[in-house]
Amino acid sequence: MSGARPKDIHIAAALLLRADGAMPVVRKRGSVHFMQAGGKIDAGEGAQQALLRELKEELGIAPDAASLTDLGLHSAVAANEPDSMVHCRLFRAEWDGEVEAAAEIEEARWLLPQEAGVVTLAPLTREAVLQLWQAALRGR
């Protein structure tokens, strides 16, 4: 980052888990980074509400709001916006259905734990989500 104060971006995202331990990751159009599905929280919108809206828009899925577990607030350098920090309210849910890339998402894929090193991960996914994913798998 340059010497300027970084821009703060507030988002909500999901750590979704399939029965076999895989999690979906998405890559936005024009980006090389894979990350969790989710997005910016609009004015007047709660984090959970924003996440459910984004999951419907990006992956065409609608997990039950009651099934979401709040995993806290996590921050990292933004993957696709220079001089920005992303502050993410992360939620976990089980999801065994299909996911399909839509809206600004160019690619959505299921990632198995042993595949974590084969794709380029966004800083937030690499620095926070991977550890939470591993902990969730150990807790099953």
Side-chain angles (χ1 to χ4, degrees):
M1 281 201 209
S2 70
R5 186 182 186 299
K7 176 182 163 191
D8 292 318
I9 302 168
H10 299 274
I11 68 167
L15 167 55
L16 300 174
L17 293 175
R18 195 168 64 183
D20 64 358
M23 73 171 174
V25 289
V26 300
R27 184 177 55 77
K28 293 182 179 184
R29 200 167 288 110
S31 177
V32 299
H33 296 95
F34 281 88
M35 61 191 66
Q36 308 322 113
K40 293 178 183 169
I41 301 170
D42 291 340
E45 190 175 46
Q48 190 178 71
Q49 181 183 9
L51 177 61
L52 293 171
R53 175 182 51 76
E54 290 283 350
L55 289 174
K56 185 70 172 165
E57 290 173 6
E58 293 182 353
L59 296 178
I61 66 173
D64 179 16
S67 74
L68 298 176
T69 301
D70 190 335
L71 296 176
L73 186 63
H74 305 272
S75 299
V77 172
N80 298 316
E81 299 193 37
D83 294 323
S84 297
M85 289 292 293
V86 65
H87 306 284
C88 176
R89 176 62 63 180
L90 189 66
F91 294 90
R92 175 184 161 192
E94 302 290 322
W95 186 261
D96 280 318
E98 295 297 318
V99 296
E100 189 172 320
E104 73 272 15
I105 303 303
E106 187 168 344
E107 184 179 357
R109 65 174 287 175
W110 287 98
L111 192 65
L112 290 164
Q114 63 270 25
E115 298 173 324
V118 301
V119 297
T120 302
L121 297 173
L124 183 74
T125 298
R126 192 177 58 246
E127 296 167 14
V129 177
L130 287 182
Q131 293 173 349
L132 293 166
W133 183 26
Q134 291 167 350
L137 295 176
R138 283 191 304 271
R140 284 182 151 188

